[in-house]
Amino acid sequence: MQSFIGENSKVIAVDFDGTIVEHKYPEIGREMLFAFATLKALQQKGHKLILWTFRVGPYLTEAVEYCKKNGIEFYAVNKNYPEEVYDHNTARKLNADIFIDDRNVGGFLGWSEIWQTLHPESGDFVHQFKNPSAHHNYNKGGNSILKKIFGRK
């Protein structure tokens, strides 16, 4: 497991079923093409990987052990950081820079495309949102589409 996070490194949340392995829940499916090679390369670049999965209990333990057996130890599992204690007051929204999941709009890209998107030509981290203005939680003013549709900002 990596012990540092560099200036250009990110926290990346990774789903298990349908992303690292094919969907066979509750069993573990076959490895998705290039999954572990890409995850290892991301760790070598200094990224912190968090396993973020629906699995709990023995199914989660089995998935974590499967990943360890294939050379991947996660920074955290189903939490923001290793020491986080989950209770009902803890938000389940993970604080990650990037989410890799088969349930994304458009589906799972595939590990080769994920690598090329994040580290083109194996260089520094590069990630560009398709719609950067959508990542703001406030109205910048002007005539918003919501105002036009609903008559308010």
Side-chain angles (χ1 to χ4, degrees), residues 9-136:
S9 300
K10 302 295 177 193
V11 175
I12 301 174
V14 184
D15 181 36
F16 186 73
D17 295 289
T19 304
I20 295 175
V21 298
E22 295 176 348
H23 271 290
K24 296 288 182 188
Y25 183 83
E27 288 84 32
I28 292 179
R30 293 185 307 171
E31 175 191 352
M32 298 291 277
L33 188 62
F34 303 123
F36 288 109
T38 305
L39 292 169
K40 289 174 189 175
L42 289 169
Q43 283 185 329
Q44 288 170 355
K45 288 282 189 179
H47 300 295
K48 286 185 179 179
L49 303 181
I50 296 176
L51 183 63
W52 189 245
T53 178
F54 177 77
R55 289 175 177 255
V56 294
Y59 299 119
L60 177 60
T61 301
E62 187 179 18
V64 170
E65 289 304 314
Y66 178 82
C67 291
K68 281 183 185 178
K69 196 168 69 178
N70 283 283
I72 293 296
E73 289 190 52
F74 292 93
Y75 167 71
V77 176
N78 283 349
K79 38 180 129 170
N80 289 296
Y81 51 91
E83 301 82 15
E84 182 180 34
V85 176
Y86 176 74
D87 63 29
H88 295 291
N89 297 315
T90 305
R92 291 299 28 163
K93 178 80 174 180
L94 194 64
N95 185 18
D97 299 300
I98 301 291
F99 290 82
I100 301 174
D101 191 329
D102 62 309
R103 301 297 174 133
N104 293 321
V105 172
F108 183 62
L109 298 175
W111 286 102
S112 179
E113 187 164 337
I114 287 169
W115 177 255
Q116 287 303 314
T117 299
L118 298 180
H119 286 280
E121 299 177 11
S122 296
D124 287 339
F125 179 86
V126 175
H127 181 264
Q128 304 217 349
F129 294 113
K130 289 186 178 187
N131 183 4
S133 64
H135 294 274
H136 297 284

